[in-house]
């Protein structure tokens, strides 16, 4: 059997290695159009910033090492330009010599990956870059050093945009990040994004939200950017990172079926509409949990799994891809941002009824030095109780919790059942009641009617209600340092002795710093005959979202001088 694989990196290289482990006799040939057969593209921003010093560290396999270990012919700088399905062969162009030749196959695996979106407003030039391949990273790093870059624009606030912004800051450049929408990271909702905005600005990034770029080009020895509000800004260089799209042109020309965003349509065996052609990685359409909607998710983990599954099926082992949850994590300076599953926006669009839990919890025991807080937003179905999505922002331990919640979501655990998980505990690593357990405790209380919640988005309507009373249950010192408009201060420890100050004819809404003390206050009030609600997430959530709201107003009314 002869198997040709188009593209290396995560999906193609994984498919090749798995296939060799299953079939020692198969002839396996890889064609990769870049100069690197298998590389860590997730590490590219960190090479630019100098965290990864040696570019060889990015290279997971070379053509020679692939041949030595797996007896696989890996060809770099070779672009497959056409698939002749009736002849079962591909046309290949050697990008170094210009030679064009054909290669036959019995089975074909497509792993072409994704290409960076280069919008129509981008006119390029030597000072405008994208970052997708090792070659891109080498070029970008060399330019920064050669030109002694002092100012940089980053267009786009997704994974690559945030990572390259941080790493350009590490080179000593000042960075302005332009994001067209009202918050960075489309994979999270406003709350998680608000914490990211604060982190970016705290580290000196000039964050420009709702910034619509009209033109970007190299002009007069600089990268010139023109915005829709008539500002013209100039930088030493610019990086365009507004997203990627499936590189499915080869499949389209071959007449293979495509789906959402033009991605290659595959079944659960990673088989295309041609039974002898498989496709994996960033170029394929998959089903995304929890909504079972068609999606394109460009992540290394799914690509590796899909490559393995394609190889299994070619080798005669039935293997199926079990949908994608989109579990992801990113470092933004000192913060870690992680998510899995659906966002609020996606659930609202799909018309799914959900409950929302927001809590702030320590990453480990508070009495052990170095404890820090993480903010968690967990969404679960009002009908089934199943976890639909989670987002976490914090420091150490965020990755651990998102992994636990990703597994819980995968196996169909209900949110309230998180209270029963037995998780490892020692003071340097966690608390006896882990943040994941706390989600379960809150969900259980909600289901049993022990607590009722209200949210930031409810405040405007509630404040127009004459029958509402707002209480801040923190200490007077915390209250004077900052509090939500309209909230009076009655500390938790005084609550039982000041009930005569609280009008029983009104509905009471209570807030504290994280949501715990206000929950305790609601229990006191509820058992004394009050109709009472707890503010989800506490003042930390309120302050982050209020600041985000303020930043947007400032941005939209921006009078920044042209420079």
């Amino acid at each position: 059997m002869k198997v040709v694989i188009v593209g290396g990196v995560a999906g193609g290289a994984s498919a090749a290695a798995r296939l060799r482990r299953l079939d020692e006799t198969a002839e396996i040939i890889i064609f990769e159009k870049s100069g690197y057969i298998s590389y860590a593209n997730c590490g590219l921003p960190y090479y630019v910033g100098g965290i990864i010093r040696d570019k060889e560290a990015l290279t997971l396999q070379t053509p020679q090492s692939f041949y030595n270990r797996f007896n696989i012919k890996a060809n770099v700088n070779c672009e497959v330009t056409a698939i002749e399905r009736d002849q079962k062969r591909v046309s290949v162009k050697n990008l170094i010599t210009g030679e064009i030749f054909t290669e036959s196959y019995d089975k074909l695996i497509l792993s072409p990956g994704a290409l960076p979106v280069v919008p129509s407003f981008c006119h390029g030039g030597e000072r405008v870059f994208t970052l997708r391949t090792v070659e891109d990273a080498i070029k970008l790093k060399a330019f920064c050093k050669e030109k002694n870059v002092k100012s940089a624009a980053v267009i786009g606030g997704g994974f690559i945009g945030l990572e390259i912004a941080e790493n350009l800051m590490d080179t000593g450049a000042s960075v302005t990040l332009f994001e067209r929408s009202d918050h960075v990271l489309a994979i999270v909702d406003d709350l998680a994004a608000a914490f990211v905005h604060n982190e970016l600005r705290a580290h000196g990034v000039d964050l420009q939200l709702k910034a619509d770029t009209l033109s970007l080009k190299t002009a007069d020895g600089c990268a010139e950017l023109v915005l829709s509000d008539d500002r013209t800004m100039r930088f030493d260089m610019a990086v365009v990172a507004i997203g990627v799209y499936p590189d499915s042109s080869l499949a389209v020309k071959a007449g293979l079926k495509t789906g959402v965003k033009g991605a290659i349509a595959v079944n659960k065996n990673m088989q295309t509409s041609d039974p002898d052609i498989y496709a994996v990685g960033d170029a394929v359409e998959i089903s995304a949990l929890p909504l079972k909607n068609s999606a394109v998710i460009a992540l290394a983990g799914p690509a590796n799994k899909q490559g393995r599954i394609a190889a299994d099926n070619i080798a005669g082992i039935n293997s199926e891809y079990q949908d994608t949850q989109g579990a992801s994590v990113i470092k933004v300076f000192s913060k870690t941002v992680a998510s899995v599953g659906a966002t609020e926006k996606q659930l609202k669009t799909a018309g799914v009824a959900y409950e929302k839990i927001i809590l702030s919890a320590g990453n480990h025991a508070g009495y052990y030095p170095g404890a820090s807080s993480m903010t968690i937003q967990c969404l679960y179905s009002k009908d089934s109780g199943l976890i639909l999505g989670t987002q976490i922002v914090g420091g150490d331990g965020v990755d651990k919790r998102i992994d636990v919640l990703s597994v819980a979501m995968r196996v169909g655990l209900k949110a309230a059942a998180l209270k029963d998980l037995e998780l490892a505990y020692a003071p340097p690593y966690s608390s006896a009641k882990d943040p994941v357990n706390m989600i379960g405790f809150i969900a259980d209380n909600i289901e049993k009617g022990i607590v009722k919640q209200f949210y930031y988005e409810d405040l405007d309507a509630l404040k127009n209600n004459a029958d509402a009373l707002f209480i801040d249950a923190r200490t007077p010192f915390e209250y004077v340092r900052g509090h939500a408009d309209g909230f009076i201060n009655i500390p938790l420890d005084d609550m039982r002795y000041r009930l005569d100050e609280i009008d029983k004819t009104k509905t009471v809404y209570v807030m504290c710093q994280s949501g715990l003390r206000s929950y305790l206050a609601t229990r006191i009030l509820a058992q004394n005959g009050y109709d009472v609600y707890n503010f989800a997430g506490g003042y930390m959530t309120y302050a982050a979202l209020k600041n985000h709201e303020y930043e947007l107003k400032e941005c939209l009314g921006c009078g920044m001088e042209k420079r």
Side-chain angles (χ1 to χ4, degrees), residues 213-515:
T213 304
L214 296 183
S215 173
L216 174 62
K217 63 183 179 180
T218 297
D220 300 324
C222 66
E224 182 182 272
L225 185 146
V226 179
L227 298 172
S228 60
D229 59 7
D230 294 330
R231 283 183 290 161
T232 296
M233 304 177 75
R234 295 181 175 87
F235 304 88
D236 291 336
M237 60 167 290
V239 180
V240 178
I242 63 173
V244 296
Y245 65 94
D247 186 3
S248 57
S249 58
L250 189 63
V252 171
K253 286 194 295 182
L256 297 177
K257 184 180 178 181
T258 58
V260 62
K261 296 183 180 179
I264 305 168
V266 293
N267 60 20
K268 283 187 172 293
N269 301 121
M270 306 313 299
Q271 201 170 33
T272 70
S273 52
D274 184 323
D276 291 321
I277 302 177
Y278 294 75
V280 302
D282 298 352
V284 304
E285 176 191 57
I286 50 82
S287 174
L289 296 174
L291 299 176
K292 289 281 189 177
N293 56 306
S294 296
V296 180
I297 297 181
L299 293 170
N304 274 282
K305 294 180 184 71
Q306 291 160 10
R308 178 186 176 95
I309 289 166
D312 281 357
N313 286 287
I314 289 173
I317 300 171
N318 183 51
S319 186
E320 294 186 349
Y321 187 64
Q322 301 299 318
D323 301 327
T324 290
Q325 293 167 248
S328 62
V329 64
I330 181 175
K331 173 185 177 295
V332 183
F333 294 100
S334 65
K335 296 292 186 187
T336 300
V337 187
S339 70
V340 65
T343 64
E344 266 197 279
K345 183 178 180 180
Q346 291 169 334
L347 294 177
K348 286 177 179 177
T349 300
V352 175
Y354 64 92
E355 188 70 61
K356 178 168 61 173
I357 290 172
I358 302 172
L359 73 147
S360 295
N363 65 323
H364 61 63
Y367 59 82
Y368 188 88
S372 62
S373 178
M374 64 179 71
T375 298
I376 304 174
Q377 175 181 285
C378 182
L379 311 170
Y380 66 92
S381 169
K382 281 190 174 182
D383 298 325
S384 68
L386 294 174
I387 300 166
L388 301 174
T390 305
Q391 300 159 31
I392 313 177
V393 183
D396 291 342
V398 166
D399 55 338
K400 168 184 172 180
R401 274 65 183 211
I402 204 70
D403 284 346
V404 173
L405 289 159
S406 181
V407 172
M409 184 177 167
R410 171 68 69 176
V411 301
L413 208 61
K414 293 184 178 182
L418 294 173
K419 73 183 189 307
D420 301 318
L421 292 184
E422 187 173 336
L423 304 172
Y425 159 62
Y429 303 106
S430 184
S431 300
K433 293 179 181 177
D434 190 85
V436 173
N437 296 134
M438 293 303 298
I439 297 171
F441 293 138
I442 296 172
D444 186 58
N445 282 338
I446 292 171
E447 288 186 10
K448 292 175 178 175
I450 294 171
V451 66
K452 295 185 289 187
Q453 298 189 109
F454 71 110
Y455 304 95
Y456 180 86
E457 56 266 30
D458 299 327
L459 284 173
D460 285 344
L462 289 173
K463 286 178 181 177
N464 292 323
N465 182 357
D467 294 324
L469 177 65
F470 303 96
I471 295 176
D472 188 320
R474 296 176 300 161
T475 66
F477 177 71
E478 290 174 291
Y479 180 81
V480 297
R481 289 181 65 187
H483 58 269
D485 294 340
F487 281 72
I488 62 172
N489 185 214
I490 302 179
L492 170 64
D493 292 343
D494 297 345
M495 194 72 63
R496 291 183 180 87
Y497 315 109
R498 296 176 62 178
L499 293 177
D500 58 338
E501 300 176 31
I502 305 172
D503 189 344
K504 251 185 188 172
T505 66
K506 295 183 180 294
T507 302
V508 183
Y509 298 89
V510 190
M511 181 186 294
C512 72
Q513 187 68 12
S514 67

Side-chain angles (χ1 to χ4, degrees), residues 49 152 163-176 200-206 333:
E163 289 173 343
I164 196 61
E166 177 178 348
N167 280 278
L168 287 172
M169 292 285 290
D170 287 344
T171 69
S174 64
V175 174
T176 303
L200 290 169
R201 291 189 166 108
H203 284 84
V205 175
D206 180 6
F333 294 100

